[in-house]
PDB file of all heavy atoms in Angstrom:
ATOM      1  N   VAL A 136      -7.075 -22.385 -14.386  1.00 95.00           N
ATOM      2  CA  VAL A 136      -7.785 -21.053 -14.516  1.00 95.00           C
ATOM      3  C   VAL A 136      -6.890 -20.021 -13.993  1.00 95.00           C
ATOM      4  O   VAL A 136      -6.176 -20.146 -13.047  1.00 95.00           O
ATOM      5  CB  VAL A 136      -9.211 -20.990 -13.837  1.00 95.00           C
ATOM      6  CG1 VAL A 136     -10.139 -22.011 -14.441  1.00 95.00           C
ATOM      7  CG2 VAL A 136      -8.995 -21.300 -12.367  1.00 95.00           C
ATOM      8  N   GLY A 137      -7.100 -18.846 -14.482  1.00 93.00           N
ATOM      9  CA  GLY A 137      -6.445 -17.690 -13.918  1.00 93.00           C
ATOM     10  C   GLY A 137      -7.282 -16.978 -12.893  1.00 93.00           C
ATOM     11  O   GLY A 137      -8.538 -17.289 -12.814  1.00 93.00           O
ATOM     12  N   GLU A 138      -6.708 -16.135 -12.164  1.00 90.00           N
ATOM     13  CA  GLU A 138      -7.456 -15.390 -11.005  1.00 90.00           C
ATOM     14  C   GLU A 138      -8.532 -14.494 -11.753  1.00 90.00           C
ATOM     15  O   GLU A 138      -8.302 -13.849 -12.814  1.00 90.00           O
ATOM     16  CB  GLU A 138      -6.529 -14.467 -10.324  1.00 90.00           C
ATOM     17  CG  GLU A 138      -7.050 -13.926  -9.090  1.00 90.00           C
ATOM     18  CD  GLU A 138      -6.100 -13.321  -8.086  1.00 90.00           C
ATOM     19  OE1 GLU A 138      -4.907 -13.718  -8.212  1.00 90.00           O
ATOM     20  OE2 GLU A 138      -6.503 -12.507  -7.403  1.00 90.00           O
ATOM     21  N   ARG A 139      -9.787 -14.650 -11.282  1.00 90.00           N
ATOM     22  CA  ARG A 139     -10.919 -13.863 -11.772  1.00 90.00           C
ATOM     23  C   ARG A 139     -11.269 -14.192 -13.192  1.00 90.00           C
ATOM     24  O   ARG A 139     -11.773 -13.461 -13.978  1.00 90.00           O
ATOM     25  CB  ARG A 139     -10.717 -12.287 -11.510  1.00 90.00           C
ATOM     26  CG  ARG A 139     -10.616 -11.894 -10.129  1.00 90.00           C
ATOM     27  CD  ARG A 139     -10.633 -10.378 -10.081  1.00 90.00           C
ATOM     28  NE  ARG A 139     -10.500 -10.079  -8.617  1.00 90.00           N
ATOM     29  CZ  ARG A 139      -9.290  -9.872  -8.037  1.00 90.00           C
ATOM     30  NH1 ARG A 139      -8.092  -9.854  -8.757  1.00 90.00           N
ATOM     31  NH2 ARG A 139      -9.264  -9.537  -6.845  1.00 90.00           N
ATOM     32  N   SER A 140     -10.967 -15.540 -13.447  1.00 93.00           N
ATOM     33  CA  SER A 140     -11.416 -15.889 -14.903  1.00 93.00           C
ATOM     34  C   SER A 140     -12.478 -16.998 -14.736  1.00 93.00           C
ATOM     35  O   SER A 140     -12.194 -18.191 -14.310  1.00 93.00           O
ATOM     36  CB  SER A 140     -10.167 -16.578 -15.565  1.00 93.00           C
ATOM     37  OG  SER A 140      -9.166 -15.731 -15.907  1.00 93.00           O
ATOM     38  N   PRO A 141     -13.747 -16.675 -14.900  1.00 95.00           N
ATOM     39  CA  PRO A 141     -14.741 -17.608 -14.608  1.00 95.00           C
ATOM     40  C   PRO A 141     -14.885 -18.682 -15.605  1.00 95.00           C
ATOM     41  O   PRO A 141     -14.562 -18.594 -16.858  1.00 95.00           O
ATOM     42  CB  PRO A 141     -16.065 -16.734 -14.700  1.00 95.00           C
ATOM     43  CG  PRO A 141     -15.632 -15.569 -15.549  1.00 95.00           C
ATOM     44  CD  PRO A 141     -14.171 -15.380 -15.395  1.00 95.00           C
ATOM     45  N   LEU A 142     -15.171 -19.861 -15.172  1.00 95.00           N
ATOM     46  CA  LEU A 142     -15.426 -21.098 -15.886  1.00 95.00           C
ATOM     47  C   LEU A 142     -16.941 -21.448 -15.928  1.00 95.00           C
ATOM     48  O   LEU A 142     -17.510 -21.368 -14.839  1.00 95.00           O
ATOM     49  CB  LEU A 142     -14.526 -22.214 -15.339  1.00 95.00           C
ATOM     50  CG  LEU A 142     -14.761 -23.662 -16.020  1.00 95.00           C
ATOM     51  CD1 LEU A 142     -14.210 -23.611 -17.543  1.00 95.00           C
ATOM     52  CD2 LEU A 142     -14.092 -24.674 -15.291  1.00 95.00           C
ATOM     53  N   PHE A 143     -17.310 -21.554 -17.084  1.00 96.00           N
ATOM     54  CA  PHE A 143     -18.940 -21.734 -17.236  1.00 96.00           C
ATOM     55  C   PHE A 143     -19.359 -23.251 -17.560  1.00 96.00           C
ATOM     56  O   PHE A 143     -18.590 -23.818 -18.308  1.00 96.00           O
ATOM     57  CB  PHE A 143     -19.528 -20.834 -18.355  1.00 96.00           C
ATOM     58  CG  PHE A 143     -19.253 -19.361 -17.885  1.00 96.00           C
ATOM     59  CD1 PHE A 143     -18.086 -18.733 -18.443  1.00 96.00           C
ATOM     60  CD2 PHE A 143     -20.263 -18.642 -17.300  1.00 96.00           C
ATOM     61  CE1 PHE A 143     -17.847 -17.399 -18.215  1.00 96.00           C
ATOM     62  CE2 PHE A 143     -19.942 -17.166 -17.124  1.00 96.00           C
ATOM     63  CZ  PHE A 143     -18.825 -16.687 -17.532  1.00 96.00           C
ATOM     64  N   ILE A 144     -20.294 -23.609 -16.834  1.00 96.00           N
ATOM     65  CA  ILE A 144     -20.749 -25.096 -17.190  1.00 96.00           C
ATOM     66  C   ILE A 144     -22.148 -24.877 -17.542  1.00 96.00           C
ATOM     67  O   ILE A 144     -22.959 -24.453 -16.656  1.00 96.00           O
ATOM     68  CB  ILE A 144     -20.598 -25.974 -15.989  1.00 96.00           C
ATOM     69  CG1 ILE A 144     -18.868 -26.132 -15.598  1.00 96.00           C
ATOM     70  CG2 ILE A 144     -20.951 -27.400 -16.213  1.00 96.00           C
ATOM     71  CD1 ILE A 144     -18.779 -26.718 -14.228  1.00 96.00           C
ATOM     72  N   ARG A 145     -22.642 -25.409 -18.607  1.00 96.00           N
ATOM     73  CA  ARG A 145     -23.960 -25.507 -18.921  1.00 96.00           C
ATOM     74  C   ARG A 145     -24.691 -26.688 -18.323  1.00 96.00           C
ATOM     75  O   ARG A 145     -24.375 -27.866 -18.649  1.00 96.00           O
ATOM     76  CB  ARG A 145     -24.232 -25.509 -20.464  1.00 96.00           C
ATOM     77  CG  ARG A 145     -23.690 -24.363 -21.279  1.00 96.00           C
ATOM     78  CD  ARG A 145     -23.940 -24.505 -22.675  1.00 96.00           C
ATOM     79  NE  ARG A 145     -25.435 -24.049 -22.980  1.00 96.00           N
ATOM     80  CZ  ARG A 145     -25.721 -23.272 -23.960  1.00 96.00           C
ATOM     81  NH1 ARG A 145     -24.784 -22.755 -24.827  1.00 96.00           N
ATOM     82  NH2 ARG A 145     -26.990 -22.908 -24.204  1.00 96.00           N
ATOM     83  N   GLY A 146     -25.444 -26.414 -17.309  1.00 94.00           N
ATOM     84  CA  GLY A 146     -26.215 -27.527 -16.540  1.00 94.00           C
ATOM     85  C   GLY A 146     -27.425 -27.922 -17.222  1.00 94.00           C
ATOM     86  O   GLY A 146     -27.703 -27.801 -18.436  1.00 94.00           O
ATOM     87  N   PRO A 147     -28.273 -28.551 -16.467  1.00 94.00           N
ATOM     88  CA  PRO A 147     -29.554 -29.163 -16.993  1.00 94.00           C
ATOM     89  C   PRO A 147     -30.492 -28.002 -17.337  1.00 94.00           C
ATOM     90  O   PRO A 147     -30.427 -26.836 -16.854  1.00 94.00           O
ATOM     91  CB  PRO A 147     -30.146 -29.807 -15.788  1.00 94.00           C
ATOM     92  CG  PRO A 147     -29.428 -29.331 -14.526  1.00 94.00           C
ATOM     93  CD  PRO A 147     -28.193 -28.699 -14.956  1.00 94.00           C
ATOM     94  N   ASP A 148     -31.350 -28.285 -18.215  1.00 94.00           N
ATOM     95  CA  ASP A 148     -32.551 -27.379 -18.690  1.00 94.00           C
ATOM     96  C   ASP A 148     -33.503 -27.312 -17.494  1.00 94.00           C
ATOM     97  O   ASP A 148     -33.670 -28.237 -16.762  1.00 94.00           O
ATOM     98  CB  ASP A 148     -33.193 -27.911 -19.923  1.00 94.00           C
ATOM     99  CG  ASP A 148     -32.311 -27.875 -21.052  1.00 94.00           C
ATOM    100  OD1 ASP A 148     -31.249 -27.094 -21.093  1.00 94.00           O
ATOM    101  OD2 ASP A 148     -32.568 -28.648 -22.106  1.00 94.00           O
ATOM    102  N   TRP A 149     -34.032 -26.089 -17.283  1.00 92.00           N
ATOM    103  CA  TRP A 149     -34.963 -25.977 -16.396  1.00 92.00           C
ATOM    104  C   TRP A 149     -36.070 -24.835 -16.846  1.00 92.00           C
ATOM    105  O   TRP A 149     -35.596 -23.816 -17.367  1.00 92.00           O
ATOM    106  CB  TRP A 149     -34.472 -25.427 -14.999  1.00 92.00           C
ATOM    107  CG  TRP A 149     -35.349 -25.342 -13.835  1.00 92.00           C
ATOM    108  CD1 TRP A 149     -36.190 -26.303 -13.468  1.00 92.00           C
ATOM    109  CD2 TRP A 149     -35.450 -24.249 -12.935  1.00 92.00           C
ATOM    110  NE1 TRP A 149     -36.849 -25.814 -12.344  1.00 92.00           N
ATOM    111  CE2 TRP A 149     -36.395 -24.575 -12.048  1.00 92.00           C
ATOM    112  CE3 TRP A 149     -34.813 -23.093 -12.841  1.00 92.00           C
ATOM    113  CZ2 TRP A 149     -36.720 -23.681 -10.964  1.00 92.00           C
ATOM    114  CZ3 TRP A 149     -35.139 -22.043 -11.938  1.00 92.00           C
ATOM    115  CH2 TRP A 149     -36.066 -22.534 -10.823  1.00 92.00           C
ATOM    116  N   ARG A 150     -37.209 -25.153 -16.729  1.00 91.00           N
ATOM    117  CA  ARG A 150     -38.281 -24.398 -17.105  1.00 91.00           C
ATOM    118  C   ARG A 150     -37.967 -23.877 -18.635  1.00 91.00           C
ATOM    119  O   ARG A 150     -37.806 -24.700 -19.545  1.00 91.00           O
ATOM    120  CB  ARG A 150     -38.415 -23.080 -16.230  1.00 91.00           C
ATOM    121  CG  ARG A 150     -39.001 -23.583 -14.850  1.00 91.00           C
ATOM    122  CD  ARG A 150     -39.089 -22.466 -13.833  1.00 91.00           C
ATOM    123  NE  ARG A 150     -39.581 -22.912 -12.635  1.00 91.00           N
ATOM    124  CZ  ARG A 150     -39.642 -22.276 -11.437  1.00 91.00           C
ATOM    125  NH1 ARG A 150     -39.283 -20.966 -11.560  1.00 91.00           N
ATOM    126  NH2 ARG A 150     -40.047 -22.901 -10.350  1.00 91.00           N
ATOM    127  N   GLU A 151     -37.992 -22.561 -18.946  1.00 90.00           N
ATOM    128  CA  GLU A 151     -37.891 -22.127 -20.336  1.00 90.00           C
ATOM    129  C   GLU A 151     -36.376 -21.890 -20.635  1.00 90.00           C
ATOM    130  O   GLU A 151     -35.934 -21.330 -21.652  1.00 90.00           O
ATOM    131  CB  GLU A 151     -38.604 -20.961 -20.649  1.00 90.00           C
ATOM    132  CG  GLU A 151     -40.039 -21.085 -20.661  1.00 90.00           C
ATOM    133  CD  GLU A 151     -40.669 -21.033 -19.176  1.00 90.00           C
ATOM    134  OE1 GLU A 151     -40.220 -20.188 -18.381  1.00 90.00           O
ATOM    135  OE2 GLU A 151     -41.511 -21.849 -18.967  1.00 90.00           O
ATOM    136  N   GLY A 152     -35.497 -22.226 -19.643  1.00 93.00           N
ATOM    137  CA  GLY A 152     -34.052 -21.854 -19.841  1.00 93.00           C
ATOM    138  C   GLY A 152     -33.105 -23.096 -19.341  1.00 93.00           C
ATOM    139  O   GLY A 152     -33.435 -24.265 -19.529  1.00 93.00           O
ATOM    140  N   GLN A 153     -32.070 -22.596 -18.780  1.00 94.00           N
ATOM    141  CA  GLN A 153     -30.970 -23.644 -18.410  1.00 94.00           C
ATOM    142  C   GLN A 153     -30.267 -22.992 -17.163  1.00 94.00           C
ATOM    143  O   GLN A 153     -30.137 -21.789 -16.976  1.00 94.00           O
ATOM    144  CB  GLN A 153     -30.042 -23.774 -19.597  1.00 94.00           C
ATOM    145  CG  GLN A 153     -29.064 -24.811 -19.405  1.00 94.00           C
ATOM    146  CD  GLN A 153     -28.281 -25.020 -20.762  1.00 94.00           C
ATOM    147  OE1 GLN A 153     -27.748 -24.061 -21.326  1.00 94.00           O
ATOM    148  NE2 GLN A 153     -27.951 -26.379 -21.161  1.00 94.00           N
ATOM    149  N   ILE A 154     -29.829 -24.049 -16.464  1.00 95.00           N
ATOM    150  CA  ILE A 154     -28.928 -23.750 -15.215  1.00 95.00           C
ATOM    151  C   ILE A 154     -27.485 -23.576 -15.699  1.00 95.00           C
ATOM    152  O   ILE A 154     -26.999 -24.421 -16.499  1.00 95.00           O
ATOM    153  CB  ILE A 154     -29.090 -24.787 -14.105  1.00 95.00           C
ATOM    154  CG1 ILE A 154     -30.535 -24.948 -13.640  1.00 95.00           C
ATOM    155  CG2 ILE A 154     -28.089 -24.448 -12.990  1.00 95.00           C
ATOM    156  CD1 ILE A 154     -31.104 -23.606 -13.118  1.00 95.00           C
ATOM    157  N   ILE A 155     -26.855 -22.519 -15.388  1.00 95.00           N
ATOM    158  CA  ILE A 155     -25.469 -22.281 -15.660  1.00 95.00           C
ATOM    159  C   ILE A 155     -24.683 -22.198 -14.388  1.00 95.00           C
ATOM    160  O   ILE A 155     -25.117 -21.463 -13.458  1.00 95.00           O
ATOM    161  CB  ILE A 155     -25.299 -20.899 -16.451  1.00 95.00           C
ATOM    162  CG1 ILE A 155     -26.182 -20.783 -17.713  1.00 95.00           C
ATOM    163  CG2 ILE A 155     -23.830 -20.692 -16.742  1.00 95.00           C
ATOM    164  CD1 ILE A 155     -25.975 -21.692 -18.728  1.00 95.00           C
ATOM    165  N   ILE A 156     -23.596 -22.983 -14.446  1.00 96.00           N
ATOM    166  CA  ILE A 156     -22.757 -23.045 -13.167  1.00 96.00           C
ATOM    167  C   ILE A 156     -21.471 -22.087 -13.545  1.00 96.00           C
ATOM    168  O   ILE A 156     -20.940 -22.250 -14.575  1.00 96.00           O
ATOM    169  CB  ILE A 156     -22.393 -24.416 -12.913  1.00 96.00           C
ATOM    170  CG1 ILE A 156     -23.459 -25.311 -12.559  1.00 96.00           C
ATOM    171  CG2 ILE A 156     -21.408 -24.509 -11.771  1.00 96.00           C
ATOM    172  CD1 ILE A 156     -23.267 -26.712 -12.644  1.00 96.00           C
ATOM    173  N   VAL A 157     -21.180 -21.260 -12.552  1.00 96.00           N
ATOM    174  CA  VAL A 157     -20.117 -20.401 -12.674  1.00 96.00           C
ATOM    175  C   VAL A 157     -19.078 -20.660 -11.614  1.00 96.00           C
ATOM    176  O   VAL A 157     -19.551 -20.678 -10.422  1.00 96.00           O
ATOM    177  CB  VAL A 157     -20.417 -18.944 -12.893  1.00 96.00           C
ATOM    178  CG1 VAL A 157     -19.131 -18.163 -13.376  1.00 96.00           C
ATOM    179  CG2 VAL A 157     -21.602 -18.743 -13.808  1.00 96.00           C
ATOM    180  N   VAL A 158     -17.875 -20.842 -11.883  1.00 95.00           N
ATOM    181  CA  VAL A 158     -16.925 -21.050 -10.771  1.00 95.00           C
ATOM    182  C   VAL A 158     -15.733 -20.047 -11.185  1.00 95.00           C
ATOM    183  O   VAL A 158     -15.213 -20.002 -12.191  1.00 95.00           O
ATOM    184  CB  VAL A 158     -16.369 -22.491 -10.774  1.00 95.00           C
ATOM    185  CG1 VAL A 158     -15.267 -22.551  -9.641  1.00 95.00           C
ATOM    186  CG2 VAL A 158     -17.375 -23.348 -10.284  1.00 95.00           C
ATOM    187  N   MET A 159     -15.290 -19.306 -10.161  1.00 95.00           N
ATOM    188  CA  MET A 159     -14.279 -18.320 -10.375  1.00 95.00           C
ATOM    189  C   MET A 159     -13.317 -18.305  -9.131  1.00 95.00           C
ATOM    190  O   MET A 159     -13.751 -18.200  -7.962  1.00 95.00           O
ATOM    191  CB  MET A 159     -14.864 -16.932 -10.607  1.00 95.00           C
ATOM    192  CG  MET A 159     -13.804 -15.922 -11.052  1.00 95.00           C
ATOM    193  SD  MET A 159     -14.704 -14.377 -11.661  1.00 95.00           S
ATOM    194  CE  MET A 159     -15.178 -13.570 -10.270  1.00 95.00           C
TER     195      MET A 159
END
Side-chain angles (χ1 to χ4, degrees):
Chain A
V136 298
E138 196 171 330
R139 296 189 181 88
S140 296
L142 177 68
F143 299 89
I144 301 167
R145 295 183 81 136
D148 292 339
W149 186 51
R150 294 179 182 169
E151 292 82 35
Q153 193 175 39
I154 301 299
I155 307 294
I156 299 163
V157 191
V158 175
M159 186 165 79

